[in-house]
Amino acid sequence: MTDSTSSTPCTTSTSQNVYSTPSYGSGSSSWGGSGSPYDSCVQKCAASYGGLSMTYSAPPSTTTAAGSNSGGGMTHTVIVAPTQGILRYVPFVVNASVGDTVEFVWGANNHTVTKSSQLAVCNKTSAAPFASGEQNKTFTFSQMVNDTNATFFYCGTPGHCEKGMFGIINPPNAVPGSNTSVASMMSGMASNSSNVSSMNSYTNNMTSNNTVASNWGGNIDMSGMPEWSYQYIAENVMYTRTFLAANPQTLNADGTVSLGNAGNTPMVIPNDITSAANSGTPSSPGSSVPSAAPAASVSGNSPYGAGSTNGARRLGSSDVAIGFVVAASLALVF
């Protein structure tokens, strides 16, 4: 896989965040200004959630790193830590074809994207390695997909991968009826761990009205992965499911994920899935988000089967720009 990077400074915001992948141009009224679509959305959020203390940072002028990494295919966007303290890649897995590009966009500081192997998930591989180095919010790092073999990557910041911050491009797919898929192993893990049980109950609750989100990633095959990683794989799948349920505009009907579908609509960043284990399972799915932009058409082969796939539409440079709104009480509450 061929890489390309870029970085643009942006004001760092803390507390709970709203992530956005807007389409915009220089001087666009979509960001700020009385009566703008952005202000309208903020007003709707404030009306739904009560008084909010919020600011926002303007998106960088560009985030897509053009050049030799462009294979002419689709671009799949992956958020590297959607906000400070959430050690996840979103979505956790991406299904990509040869010639596609996976673009990693940093949502928080002090993280890396480093290629590893399936059996040594938290160790840099020597086989066609790639590594972004430790980077901060708004940085981007692109990889062109040269084959459809499973490619594992992780955060090399000490301790992050060991807490579950890793992801997969073209993950291994379990055969139908396999007892090594995420879907088949989840119930067993929940039976043996009260923490997994709480997280699973919370996820089921959050995705109760979205069958596609609730099945996402279920056919990932864990048989060839180290046993210590099973729970973290399950956690990453569950977190992505809650993210998709909270942001239904990013999930297409066939189960493919397209963060660019959000357009100017801010995306809710759920609290980390581990909070469910620490504070108990909530009794309701939480608050809704503003209405979504129409989903774009997607072409894609998926290893996950109907209702549990992932992918992305082709994105232009403006589609992967990021901006944050600090909204202390806008996060999903456990």
Side-chain angles (χ1 to χ4, degrees):
M1 298 178 71
T2 310
D3 68 271
S4 180
T5 62
S6 71
S7 179
T8 306
C10 185
T11 302
T12 300
S13 298
T14 57
S15 186
Q16 297 298 330
N17 298 307
V18 175
Y19 185 94
S20 182
T21 57
S23 297
Y24 69 97
S26 178
S28 170
S29 62
S30 294
W31 289 93
S34 178
S36 72
Y38 185 85
D39 280 350
S40 176
C41 175
V42 170
Q43 290 165 4
K44 290 179 182 179
C45 292
S48 299
Y49 296 95
L52 304 176
S53 172
M54 52 179 71
T55 60
Y56 75 94
S57 55
S61 59
T62 181
T63 57
T64 299
S68 62
N69 73 308
S70 179
M74 298 170 65
T75 295
H76 307 262
T77 303
V78 176
I79 305 171
V80 180
T83 191
Q84 209 70 38
I86 296 184
L87 305 181
R88 308 285 179 199
Y89 295 101
V90 181
F92 167 54
V93 299
V94 170
N95 183 49
S97 301
V98 173
D100 287 359
T101 296
V102 179
E103 182 160 72
F104 299 91
V105 181
W106 271 243
N109 296 335
N110 305 121
H111 298 290
T112 84
V113 172
T114 308
K115 185 180 178 182
S116 64
S117 68
Q118 182 168 341
L119 293 177
V121 178
C122 294
N123 293 279
K124 185 175 180 179
T125 182
S126 59
F130 60 76
S132 66
E134 188 166 87
Q135 305 295 342
N136 294 327
K137 182 178 175 180
T138 77
F139 188 83
T140 67
F141 178 71
S142 298
Q143 288 292 312
M144 190 178 76
V145 177
N146 295 321
D147 59 56
T148 56
N149 297 327
T151 299
F152 291 74
F153 56 89
Y154 71 103
C155 180
T157 301
H160 287 191
C161 181
E162 291 79 5
K163 293 179 180 178
M165 193 170 181
F166 57 87
I168 316 171
I169 301 169
N170 293 323
N173 185 34
V175 298
S178 170
N179 61 3
T180 59
S181 68
V182 168
S184 62
M185 295 185 69
M186 189 75 76
S187 59
M189 287 189 286
S191 297
N192 294 322
S193 168
S194 59
N195 285 343
V196 176
S197 179
S198 294
M199 289 185 281
N200 190 42
S201 295
Y202 170 72
T203 302
N204 291 339
N205 191 34
M206 291 295 294
T207 61
S208 60
N209 295 321
N210 192 325
T211 302
V212 180
S214 67
N215 290 329
W216 185 91
N219 280 4
I220 297 173
D221 187 7
M222 295 199 288
S223 62
M225 302 179 194
E227 187 173 349
W228 69 264
S229 70
Y230 289 0
Q231 178 171 326
Y232 294 112
I233 293 169
E235 288 181 11
N236 279 304
V237 168
M238 288 187 284
Y239 184 78
T240 299
R241 288 175 176 178
T242 65
F243 180 93
L244 297 175
N247 301 281
Q249 71 271 34
T250 65
L251 186 60
N252 299 303
D254 62 355
T256 54
V257 176
S258 179
L259 300 185
N261 284 354
N264 290 334
T265 305
M267 290 192 289
V268 173
I269 307 300
N271 287 312
D272 194 57
I273 191 70
T274 53
S275 297
N278 296 330
S279 57
T281 303
S283 58
S284 63
S287 302
S288 60
V289 295
S291 58
S297 60
V298 176
S299 63
N301 300 316
S302 174
Y304 302 113
S308 56
T309 62
N310 71 295
R313 69 174 174 88
R314 185 190 304 274
L315 303 178
S317 62
S318 61
D319 287 310
V320 292
I322 63 173
F324 287 96
V325 175
V326 177
S329 61
L330 186 56
L332 301 179
V333 179
F334 295 97

